[in-house]
Amino acid sequence: MNIVHGIQGASHAGRHGRRKAATRAALIQAGQQLIAEGRTDVSIATITELADVGFGSFYNHFKTKDQLFEAAFAEAMESFGHGLGRLVEDVDDMARAVSIGFRVIIRVARAKPGFASLVTRSGSAALQFDGALRRTSLHCIGRGIDSGRFSMPGPETAFAAIGGSLLGVVTYLLGDPMSDTDELVDSLAAGVLRMLGLPDEEARSIAHEDLPEGVPEEYR
Amino acid sequence: MNIVHGIQGASHAGRHGRRKAATRAALIQAGQQLIAEGRTDVSIATITELADVGFGSFYNHFKTKDQLFEAAFAEAMESFGHGLGRLVEDVDDMARAVSIGFRVIIRVARAKPGFASLVTRSGSAALQFDGALRRTSLHCIGRGIDSGRFSMPGPETAFAAIGGSLLGVVTYLLGDPMSDTDELVDSLAAGVLRMLGLPDEEARSIAHEDLPEGVPEEYR
DNA sequence: ATTATCTATAGATCTATAGATAATGC
DNA sequence: ATTATCTATAGATCTATAGATAATGC
């Protein structure tokens, strides 16, 4: 299960470097799979078997299990966050940016249940993780508040509320994977825009617009 | 740290029964504390030491660590859920019921960070836990939808979105405990009511009403 | 006599490391 | 010569249980 994107820190010059990066990537991916399955209590031997590397190799890259799981979580979050950032970077209306982000994240979660489960299983860690996703979100929400389009107490709490509801909805859909959820998700996105302070009619209209070009076909 | 309420399954007749219940309660409470601290990877010996009972006693009550942690989580959720159910049971307007639930839960979370952390650390489990809290919430939201007061796709998704945002806000407040959050929380409750479909003005008004009699002084 | 806790421990499991093996770089 | 992986294992740690101890019930 290669979650979200390909190998991260690859392309060190030379075969040595590449081999090392490949081993590390295999460990990271095994870690991501185990987090997604809620099996972070397994032995290091189980991890290296899943990664299909020698037992001792683990210690070439990580000192402890916790260190591996932390890196595995962080890398999944970062590659996802950067992808999403690219997607909304030239959307000028912050209501549209939030709506697109919300709808795309849930579509990705449905298409990649392994990644979705990694995030929901990590509990509140996804909301606290200080990376691209959080920065982009705070920036968008902050701009919306400053422009007067959103009426919320502050970007941090708005992010907590919106991000939390996103996690809640993803959790729900993971547990009950129905065939067609696009209409449902758009309604929920409208709800989020209303929460941010948009009038019902405008919220519904924006939440049902077509998704922009940058979104990969499979999530449209 | 006795989370939320007192000993659960006590009051078995006879000293034997009471002693047994006390040992079980000590283990459960140790489990709750460890979940709250994110230390569920400790040894059984660590658990029994924290509970101040003999090592072997663990096996008189639970077969595995997982079984203890599951029971510890479930008991905390249930006693909390019942308390909240009593609080809103004779509120007739579902918008008010949701608003009260939201505001009280966050106040309790701030007053009892141990319990709050147990919930947020458990990730999505709190939203999926099939107990009193979930049943009461679904019932209230469902009535609100049926009466036309709420416009959401369905009670389950609305619960997922609201419950998730609640978790998100609790997580945020745990990480950044400011002195006075009542005004902030009321604003967020208004946001939730808007999400459910209430007009901004009415949402704000309801979210700022005094909390009802049943709420313990310390959460008013 | 029954029930529950407690201590002690055999056996299983896991971690961390040492040293061998294999591949690349110069 | 250097770098990384891999295998093997000593020592640490953990689990599950057996049997002793203590308290209650009849």
Side-chain angles (χ1 to χ4, degrees):
Chain A
M1 179 180 25
N2 193 348
I3 287 171
V4 179
H5 279 111
I7 292 166
Q8 269 246 347
S11 80
H12 289 259
R15 286 221 177 80
H16 266 153
R18 265 177 284 139
R19 185 152 155 68
K20 185 167 188 178
T23 298
R24 186 178 192 282
L27 287 167
I28 288 281
Q29 194 183 296
Q32 292 176 335
Q33 182 179 332
L34 289 168
I35 296 173
E37 292 169 2
R39 295 174 52 210
T40 52
D41 57 346
V42 297
S43 68
I44 291 173
T46 303
I47 298 173
T48 54
E49 273 156 37
L50 186 62
D52 197 24
V53 303
F55 175 74
S57 295
F58 180 90
Y59 293 93
N60 293 335
H61 297 274
F62 306 101
K63 270 186 191 156
T64 65
K65 245 184 292 186
D66 273 1
Q67 206 174 78
L68 163 68
F69 285 126
E70 203 184 304
F73 175 73
E75 293 195 9
M77 287 295 292
E78 275 309 57
S79 78
F80 180 72
H82 283 125
L84 205 78
R86 262 174 262 126
L87 202 66
V88 299
E89 69 188 348
D90 32 53
V91 177
D92 290 323
D93 175 15
M94 291 305 104
R96 288 190 165 78
V98 169
S99 166
I100 292 167
F102 187 94
R103 293 162 72 202
V104 168
I105 287 177
I106 296 190
R107 282 168 170 76
V108 172
R110 277 176 47 80
K112 306 199 181 263
F115 172 69
S117 178
L118 174 147
V119 175
T120 59
R121 273 263 165 61
S122 300
S124 48
L127 297 174
Q128 298 180 291
F129 182 73
D130 190 19
L133 186 54
R134 183 164 208 279
R135 276 196 303 278
T136 302
S137 304
L138 287 179
H139 177 252
C140 287
I141 296 170
R143 269 184 62 189
I145 292 177
D146 293 344
S147 73
R149 193 155 170 71
F150 298 161
S151 68
M152 285 290 265
E156 282 88 3
T157 43
F159 173 70
I162 297 174
S165 68
L166 200 40
L167 274 181
V169 172
V170 169
T171 300
Y172 173 71
L173 292 176
L174 270 180
D176 180 7
M178 24 193 151
S179 54
D180 191 8
T181 56
D182 285 357
E183 175 57 34
L184 171 67
V185 171
D186 294 354
S187 288
L188 290 169
V192 167
L193 295 179
R194 284 196 301 266
M195 177 157 76
L196 284 170
L198 271 73
D200 181 50
E201 207 174 327
E202 190 181 4
R204 283 178 198 273
S205 157
I206 290 178
H208 284 81
E209 288 175 2
D210 287 341
L211 289 169
E213 294 296 319
V215 181
E217 271 307 320
E218 68 243 65
Y219 310 138
R220 294 299 267 288
Chain B
M1 178 179 32
N2 192 349
I3 286 170
V4 180
H5 280 110
I7 291 166
Q8 270 247 345
S11 78
H12 291 259
R15 286 223 176 79
H16 265 152
R18 265 177 284 141
R19 185 150 155 69
K20 185 166 188 179
T23 299
R24 186 178 191 281
L27 288 166
I28 289 282
Q29 194 184 295
Q32 291 175 336
Q33 181 178 332
L34 290 167
I35 297 173
E37 292 169 2
R39 295 174 52 209
T40 52
D41 58 345
V42 297
S43 68
I44 291 174
T46 303
I47 299 174
T48 54
E49 273 156 38
L50 186 61
D52 197 23
V53 302
F55 175 73
S57 295
F58 180 90
Y59 292 94
N60 293 335
H61 297 275
F62 306 101
K63 270 188 190 153
T64 65
K65 244 183 293 186
D66 273 1
Q67 208 174 75
L68 163 68
F69 284 128
E70 202 183 305
F73 175 72
E75 293 195 9
M77 288 294 292
E78 276 309 57
S79 79
F80 180 72
H82 283 124
L84 205 79
R86 260 175 262 126
L87 202 67
V88 300
E89 69 189 349
D90 32 53
V91 177
D92 289 322
D93 175 15
M94 292 305 103
R96 289 190 165 79
V98 169
S99 167
I100 292 166
F102 187 94
R103 294 162 72 203
V104 168
I105 286 176
I106 297 189
R107 282 169 170 75
V108 172
R110 277 176 46 80
K112 306 201 180 261
F115 172 68
S117 178
L118 174 147
V119 174
T120 59
R121 273 263 163 60
S122 300
S124 48
L127 297 174
Q128 298 181 291
F129 182 73
D130 189 19
L133 186 54
R134 184 165 206 277
R135 275 196 304 279
T136 303
S137 304
L138 287 178
H139 177 252
C140 287
I141 297 171
R143 269 182 63 186
I145 292 177
D146 292 345
S147 73
R149 194 155 170 70
F150 298 161
S151 68
M152 284 292 264
E156 280 88 2
T157 42
F159 173 70
I162 296 173
S165 68
L166 200 41
L167 274 180
V169 172
V170 169
T171 299
Y172 172 70
L173 292 177
L174 269 179
D176 181 6
M178 18 189 159
S179 54
D180 192 8
T181 57
D182 285 358
E183 175 57 35
L184 172 68
V185 171
D186 295 353
S187 287
L188 291 168
V192 168
L193 294 179
R194 286 196 301 265
M195 178 159 76
L196 285 169
L198 271 73
D200 181 50
E201 207 174 327
E202 190 180 4
R204 282 179 200 271
S205 158
I206 290 178
H208 284 80
E209 288 175 1
D210 287 341
L211 289 170
E213 294 297 317
V215 181
E217 271 308 319
E218 67 241 64
Y219 309 139
R220 296 296 267 291

